[in-house]
Amino acid sequence: MGSKGQVLAALDTVSVNEAVDWAHKLDGAVAGLKLGLEFYLANGQLGYRRISATGMPIFLDLKLHDIPNTVAGALRAIVPLQPSILTVHAGGGLAMMKAARESAAENADKLNLKRPRIVGVTVLTSLDDKDLAAVGQSAPVSDQVKRLAELARSAGLDGVVCSPHEIETLRRDLGEEFLLVVPGVRPAWAESGDQKRVRAPGDAALAGADYLVIGRPITQAPDQRDAASRIALEIGAALGQKAG
Ligand code: C5P
């Protein structure tokens, strides 16, 4: 995993067999696979290993959020799985994010493994300004996203998860090296489903997203590999236009 606009396919299912089937179909057509709470809570480490056995990089999206000591322990448990990227909630605070980062480095070192990259979840895209006010946060979503992304960077995290509409601002404020992992991406030919503020894959890549997390447009397509290839073509065309 490396340059901008790489696709991570979200395998949102409780079925290991279905996820394995998708993973085999997508091998080589996407940069990696995302496993989230739905899959992991249903299938645990054994299920995870069935998918990672494909050799494809895994984005383990467990959105950890607890006291620093507990999150450090969770990282100790996860590091042997060798996810390429994993998530913690930036709202868990500076000490929690630092604990996650340190535990990841320390435990990877002990086992002689590559440290997983850790990205912070800023504000969930399901929340708007009114929802934030209801939990006692008076800032507009955009200010809160910026604040949490800066905090994540101070804690030494590798990047953040953000909505497609925050890419330009965060890229400008946080620099080229900070990873931006972006869900809510929809090619023009796919249904938007419950994603409200979507953006096309080429636009998101051009804006500076490192990774595009795309689920249903791929997994629910009649031919998953074909859908992934079409998305990769769209991204390649958008980035090629920029280069040209
Ligand atoms: O199917 P779809 O493309 O909407 O899937 C997007 C994936 O990204 C899902 O796994 C969802 O949990 C995840 N995600 C999201 N919005 C966020 C964070 C993660 O849609 N803010």
Side-chain angles (χ1 to χ4, degrees):
M1 299 211 248
S3 56
K4 301 263 180 268
Q6 303 211 61
V7 173
L8 302 174
L11 307 186
D12 290 321
T13 172
V14 291
S15 160
V16 179
N17 289 339
E18 188 168 46
V20 168
D21 176 54
W22 287 340
H24 284 301
K25 286 185 175 141
L26 293 171
D27 199 352
V30 292
L33 305 170
K34 190 203 97 155
L35 297 175
L37 285 170
E38 181 177 349
F39 180 87
Y40 195 80
L41 293 178
N43 303 297
Q45 296 212 351
L46 280 180
Y48 176 99
R49 289 186 193 279
R50 291 278 308 280
I51 308 301
S52 65
T54 57
M56 296 169 78
I58 309 281
F59 168 33
L60 184 56
D61 186 20
L62 298 181
K63 299 189 174 70
L64 302 173
H65 191 166
D66 211 311
I67 59 171
N69 187 56
T70 301
V71 168
L75 264 293
R76 196 177 317 125
I78 289 170
V79 160
L81 295 177
Q82 300 188 64
S84 173
I85 309 177
L86 62 86
T87 46
V88 300
H89 267 288
L94 187 69
M96 188 205 82
M97 288 189 276
K98 276 187 174 166
R101 170 73 176 72
E102 279 159 21
S103 176
E106 196 181 300
N107 287 289
D109 222 37
K110 263 190 210 150
L111 299 170
N112 207 13
L113 299 172
K114 202 166 160 215
R115 173 182 76 76
R117 286 171 296 172
I118 305 182
V119 298
V121 176
T122 54
V123 177
L124 295 170
T125 47
S126 51
L127 303 178
D128 60 19
D129 289 352
K130 252 172 54 197
D131 298 314
L132 283 194
V135 294
Q137 292 174 357
S138 55
V141 167
S142 52
D143 289 4
Q144 184 65 359
V145 167
K146 186 168 183 275
R147 175 180 298 133
L148 290 173
E150 282 168 357
L151 198 65
R153 194 180 51 172
S154 319
L157 295 202
D158 299 283
V160 289
V161 180
C162 68
S163 101
H165 300 282
E166 291 149 2
I167 302 169
E168 281 94 340
T169 317
L170 292 181
R171 182 57 72 217
R172 194 191 56 222
D173 294 347
L174 298 162
E176 277 304 306
E177 298 304 315
F178 201 62
L179 287 183
L180 298 181
V181 178
V182 181
V185 178
R186 285 290 177 276
W189 43 266
E191 304 270 334
S192 58
D194 54 358
Q195 296 282 14
K196 289 183 188 134
R197 298 168 62 226
V198 298
R199 203 160 174 188
D203 282 355
L206 206 50
D210 296 281
Y211 294 110
L212 310 177
V213 180
I214 307 181
R216 290 161 290 178
I218 295 175
T219 58
Q220 304 308 309
D223 179 336
Q224 285 89 25
R225 195 175 178 83
D226 175 66
S229 305
R230 285 165 68 190
I231 291 171
L233 276 176
E234 272 187 57
I235 294 168
L239 294 178
Q241 263 174 16
K242 184 190 177 192

